[in-house]
Amino acid sequence: MTTTPRPMTRRQEYAQATRQAIVQAARKLFAERGYFATKVDDIAAEARVAPATVYAVTGGKQGLLGELITTWTTDRIVEATLSRIAEATDPDEVLDEVATASRRMREEFADVIRVMLATAPHDQAVAGQLATATAVYRAAFVPVAERLAQLGALRDGIDTGHAVDVLWFYFGYSSYFTLHDDNGWSYQRAERWLAGQARRELLSPRGTGS
């Protein structure tokens, strides 16, 4: 028997809206000013709440950055992409799914990733958050590599561990920043190029459809 969820009370709706306003304010200011230059008072003013509310709801700046990182690393696109990859029978389709998902995630969360990478070298706590996020990010490539292996698509001499390293090289933190931000490529062009490079590096001739 399915139980219908109870509707939120007005107080719960207000609390949720307040939390969302604080998180979005932090995201905006971190991206514009940087983590260290953004003060809790600034976030409170942007969200139109008291500074004490920011601490009570999110634990301050570190808690806010941690929440933004969690939102990025647990976005629903990851699970949906891995589900499609698990059912894919074409190695090219597998890599296209990875390229598309990484492009969409970068378009959505590039600001969060930049703040995290810029802050971690100067803050031990954020460095720990980065290490956790990186572990989660890299772990998502494991079932991709395993699916390519199951399909017999990997080139001779490439095991799943090597494949994960290659996937990280092309679809980790640096690739889209270099191609899109530094080179001025569109995200779509970068996606196609990265998929093609990963295909040439990872797939055997029979796996490329050639």
Side-chain angles (χ1 to χ4, degrees):
M1 181 176 178
T2 303
T3 302
T4 303
R6 291 183 178 181
M8 287 192 296
T9 64
R10 184 166 297 181
R11 176 174 292 183
Q12 289 171 328
E13 289 177 346
Y14 176 76
Q16 183 182 66
T18 299
R19 186 180 193 87
Q20 289 175 343
I22 292 170
V23 171
Q24 290 305 310
R27 181 172 181 174
K28 176 178 181 289
L29 295 176
F30 288 163
E32 291 177 353
R33 306 179 184 180
Y35 180 82
F36 295 111
T38 300
K39 308 302 181 187
V40 168
D41 285 358
D42 301 329
I43 296 170
E46 181 73 23
R48 298 170 64 185
V49 299
T53 303
V54 176
Y55 287 108
V57 171
T58 63
K61 291 198 316 181
Q62 185 183 332
L64 281 162
L65 184 57
E67 185 157 337
L68 289 170
I69 292 170
T70 298
T71 300
W72 157 52
T73 56
T74 61
D75 191 86
R76 287 178 292 180
I77 190 175
V78 177
E79 183 179 355
T81 299
L82 293 179
S83 294
R84 289 193 295 271
I85 286 172
E87 300 297 325
T89 58
D90 181 352
D92 287 342
E93 180 185 350
V94 171
L95 291 178
D96 285 342
E97 287 283 357
V98 173
T100 298
S102 64
R103 185 260 301 168
R104 290 176 59 191
M105 293 286 282
R106 188 56 56 91
E107 287 180 310
E108 178 66 25
F109 295 107
D111 57 334
V112 176
I113 299 171
R114 285 192 190 95
V115 169
M116 178 184 66
L117 293 174
T119 307
H122 311 288
D123 187 287
Q124 187 174 358
V126 177
Q129 292 173 316
L130 171 60
T132 299
T134 299
V136 172
Y137 193 173
R138 284 184 65 100
F141 291 126
V142 174
V144 179
E146 290 174 343
R147 185 58 181 157
L148 291 173
Q150 290 166 1
L151 295 173
L154 293 175
R155 286 172 46 198
D156 291 342
I158 295 183
D159 59 17
T160 55
H162 186 162
V164 168
D165 289 342
V166 172
L167 290 166
W168 177 256
F169 178 82
Y170 286 112
F171 303 109
Y173 295 129
S174 301
S175 56
Y176 278 105
F177 286 140
T178 298
L179 296 175
H180 178 72
D181 295 359
D182 297 343
N183 293 356
W185 290 17
S186 69
Y187 276 117
Q188 290 74 19
R189 181 185 177 189
E191 174 190 341
R192 291 192 300 270
W193 188 85
L194 290 168
Q197 293 300 310
R199 188 173 289 118
R200 280 185 282 274
E201 178 66 25
L202 287 174
L203 302 188
S204 62
R206 67 182 181 278
T208 61
S210 60

